[in-house]
Amino acid sequence: MPSSHWWRTAAIYEIYVRSFADGNGDGDGDLIGLRERLPYLRDLGVDAIWLTPFFRSPMVDGGYDVADYRDVDPLFGTLADFDAMLAAAHALDIRVIVDIVPNHTSSQHAWFTEALASPPGSLARDRYIFRPSAEEPPNDWESIFGGRAWTRTPDGEWYLHLFDPGQPDLNWDNADVRAEFESVLRFWLDRGVDGFRIDVAHGMVKEAGLPSVGHPQQIGLLGREPLPYFDQDGVHEIYRAWRKILDSYPGDRMAVAEAWASTPLRLARYVAPDELHQAFNFDFLAAPWSAAELRATIDACIEAADSVGAPTTWVLSNHDKARHVTRFGSPLIARAAALLMLALPGAVYLYQGEELGLPEVLDLPDDARQDPVWHRSGGTDPGRDGCRVPLPWDASLPAYGFSSTGRSWLPQPDWSSLAASSQQGVPSSFLELYRSALRLRRTFTGPLTWHPSPTDVLDFQRASLRCVVNLSPATVPLPAGDVLLTSGDLPGGELPPNTAVWLG
Ligand code: NOJ
């Protein structure tokens, strides 16, 4: 496979559309607002954007409950707005990846409405996972959002939803389901999208007979132990069919899997040469700020991806996880972690606002929270709204310029000093660090080799680039070389704790 494929080394920026930029002043981000901000993304230096779902949806789960896969929800605009945004992105050399949600539909999807209106055993019900009426649910499966994964219909049958009851799981043994998603892929490929991010890519096929797991707290096993509803061998046949579709289009189209598997090698199966192009590397996101753990994770992930000839991906934050400034507990560490990630071989996924150093918003008022995780946990789990707060663009404007009317679907904290306008042109800012790093990163090539280093220091080389990260509590000497970029000050020419440097 030629190494020139754009996605092998791309910097891909995740846009949580509702929170990126509001073009019509209703307080919700939309496609017009996104189009207006594309020059910012060009100047940041990203190669592609991934848009979270903007399709017709009752928004029970932020749009991951799709009612019509071929239309734009009025909250976000129209298909014409999408086409205009796509053309504007392409004119700036920015590729566009859209989210596809194949594990479940919305309960307001025409298929589910038809299924509910049809008798048990009907063809309409066979597109979902219904089980006969009984007092108890068919098995012990738990919803990822809390509670049982089964809900009863008025006629007594149960239906499966691994997420919210508003997200019924599809039955991927049904031929209509397979044909429909192949058609949906073509619909967006025909419009010109460059790729897909596949939601719950490990979830579509369930173990035959739907056996119980045998114990509670199943979410804790995610990505660590086999579960009968995730990472079943049958999913790979689906991706082999999808790959043929992607390859039949010109322009190097790609797909990235949101897949959780119990080992790096099982995850690598999703990115075999005849399946998907990439899978998110959640092990890196989950790794603590520890040199030994990060190095082991980096090595294991590179080895697993190499075993199938795929590029590794790196991610520190996304719309489901607490922002890494807060996870690491310090902006200093977040800056060093960014330089570490951006020096690694492979593709990187950035989450909107990480280039501004935004923290997780921990004190949202209860009545503002919208995440089903918050509601289904009875308010014991704060959920994911804290990383989805609308972006601060301009410190001098209401809602920090997110919306012309000053409205914002989630309240923003005092972000005056973090707004893009406050950081623009300030050399020590997060924004300028990311801009410089993304520009320099383009010149780096080649595999990674480790230098011997003191305990708690990461030190590696990629061709002429050397990246050194000090995770120890003491200042360490700097190896020889020109300083290309640093995440913090280098007093006395040495590398202080929680600081990274790129040497050339
Ligand atoms: C993963 C998405 O990233 C998340 O936001 C969503 O809630 C679930 N899949 C269900 O679609």
Side-chain angles (χ1 to χ4, degrees):
M1 188 176 288
S3 57
S4 57
H5 293 297
W6 68 272
W7 40 268
R8 295 188 77 89
T9 54
I12 300 166
Y13 183 96
E14 179 191 354
I15 296 198
Y16 193 79
V17 183
R18 195 175 181 194
S19 301
F20 187 68
D22 174 14
N24 67 0
D26 64 359
D28 290 298
D30 51 39
L31 295 169
I32 291 181
L34 163 56
R35 177 160 57 86
E36 288 167 353
R37 296 288 183 184
L38 287 171
Y40 167 88
L41 297 172
R42 177 210 43 211
D43 295 346
L44 181 60
V46 301
D47 301 296
I49 51 178
W50 146 36
L51 276 54
T52 55
F54 50 80
F55 316 106
R56 274 199 188 261
S57 165
M59 298 294 284
V60 165
D61 180 23
Y64 283 96
D65 47 319
V66 181
D68 182 347
Y69 290 84
R70 294 182 183 80
D71 202 3
V72 172
D73 195 279
L75 190 72
F76 301 118
T78 62
L79 273 175
D81 294 336
F82 177 82
D83 291 340
M85 184 281 304
L86 184 65
H90 283 168
L92 296 176
D93 265 341
I94 298 174
R95 305 199 191 228
V96 178
I97 295 170
V98 299
D99 227 306
I100 181 124
V101 187
N103 180 66
H104 44 265
T105 68
S106 160
S107 56
Q108 291 187 26
H109 188 285
W111 273 2
F112 197 70
T113 312
E114 186 190 345
L116 286 185
S118 304
S122 57
L123 289 176
R125 289 211 174 180
D126 188 57
R127 295 188 186 119
Y128 292 89
I129 304 180
F130 280 88
R131 285 296 177 269
S133 175
E135 278 314 304
E136 287 299 311
N139 62 28
D140 68 357
W141 294 4
E142 293 171 350
S143 157
I144 310 301
F145 290 163
R148 303 300 289 257
W150 296 91
T151 288
R152 235 172 155 181
T153 61
D155 59 33
E157 285 220 315
W158 295 90
Y159 72 89
L160 177 70
H161 52 86
L162 290 180
F163 294 89
D164 190 84
Q167 296 166 293
D169 277 51
L170 285 160
N171 171 18
W172 275 82
D173 290 331
N174 180 294
D176 284 358
V177 172
R178 294 194 181 225
E180 170 66 0
F181 276 89
E182 293 186 4
S183 157
V184 168
L185 292 182
R186 289 182 192 283
F187 177 86
W188 292 103
L189 289 167
D190 288 341
R191 290 199 106 79
V193 304
D194 299 283
F196 298 97
R197 177 266 189 190
I198 301 166
D199 187 63
V200 199
H202 52 301
M204 289 117 91
V205 173
K206 277 71 180 178
E207 190 174 329
L210 311 185
S212 283
V213 175
H215 53 88
Q217 306 294 326
Q218 294 158 15
I219 179 99
L221 302 179
L222 185 59
R224 294 195 308 184
E225 281 185 36
L227 285 166
Y229 42 84
F230 282 153
D231 191 32
Q232 298 295 307
D233 290 343
V235 291
H236 296 286
E237 191 191 321
I238 298 170
Y239 298 131
R240 285 192 283 271
W242 287 16
R243 179 61 179 256
K244 289 197 182 101
I245 294 173
L246 288 160
D247 285 350
S248 73
Y249 281 78
D252 210 3
R253 319 285 176 109
M254 56 80 78
V256 54
E258 185 226 10
W260 293 83
S262 48
T263 65
L265 286 175
R266 279 202 72 88
L267 186 64
R269 300 178 67 198
Y270 290 78
V271 290
D274 57 348
E275 296 197 23
L276 305 174
H277 303 73
Q278 296 178 341
F280 292 129
N281 174 358
F282 294 119
D283 289 346
F284 184 69
L285 182 149
W289 188 240
S290 139
E293 297 213 35
L294 282 165
R295 180 171 170 164
T297 303
I298 290 167
D299 284 342
C301 295
I302 291 177
E303 192 187 326
D306 278 356
S307 71
V308 285
T312 33
T313 64
W314 310 102
V315 53
L316 283 168
S317 280
N318 66 28
H319 67 282
D320 290 329
K321 299 287 173 197
R323 285 185 176 277
H324 64 270
V325 166
T326 305
R327 269 202 340 264
F328 289 135
S330 130
L332 196 66
I333 299 181
R335 290 169 65 91
L339 284 202
L340 167 64
M341 175 174 79
L342 293 170
L344 295 171
V348 292
Y349 281 81
L350 308 173
Y351 177 49
Q352 66 180 36
E354 77 171 75
E355 79 282 12
L356 301 176
L358 296 186
E360 184 80 359
V361 180
L362 299 171
D363 55 357
L364 286 169
D366 289 355
D367 61 359
R369 291 188 189 276
Q370 301 205 9
D371 188 354
V373 171
W374 161 257
H375 294 292
R376 281 182 67 84
S377 70
T380 55
D381 183 331
R384 304 161 295 176
D385 292 314
C387 65
R388 299 174 176 180
V389 173
L391 288 195
W393 292 96
D394 189 330
S396 67
L397 294 175
Y400 302 108
F402 166 68
S403 147
S404 57
T405 55
R407 289 161 70 183
S408 162
W409 71 278
L410 283 173
Q412 299 157 298
D414 178 357
W415 272 348
S416 346
S417 62
L418 294 177
S421 65
S422 307
Q423 302 196 37
Q424 163 96 16
V426 178
S428 60
S429 69
F430 258 94
L431 180 56
E432 294 302 337
L433 178 74
Y434 269 76
R435 281 183 177 163
S436 301
L438 286 166
R439 193 180 61 246
L440 274 172
R441 179 182 177 274
R442 291 180 187 281
T443 63
F444 302 153
T445 51
L448 171 155
T449 49
W450 296 101
H451 288 287
S453 60
T455 314
D456 292 333
V457 173
L458 296 173
D459 185 354
F460 61 88
Q461 191 84 32
R462 285 186 62 211
S464 62
L465 165 78
R466 185 166 186 172
C467 175
V468 191
V469 191
N470 182 5
L471 297 93
S472 79
T475 295
V476 297
L478 265 187
D482 294 334
V483 174
L484 304 176
L485 192 61
T486 169
S487 67
D489 292 336
L490 303 176
E494 294 195 310
L495 191 63
N498 298 325
T499 307
V501 67
W502 288 359
L503 303 169

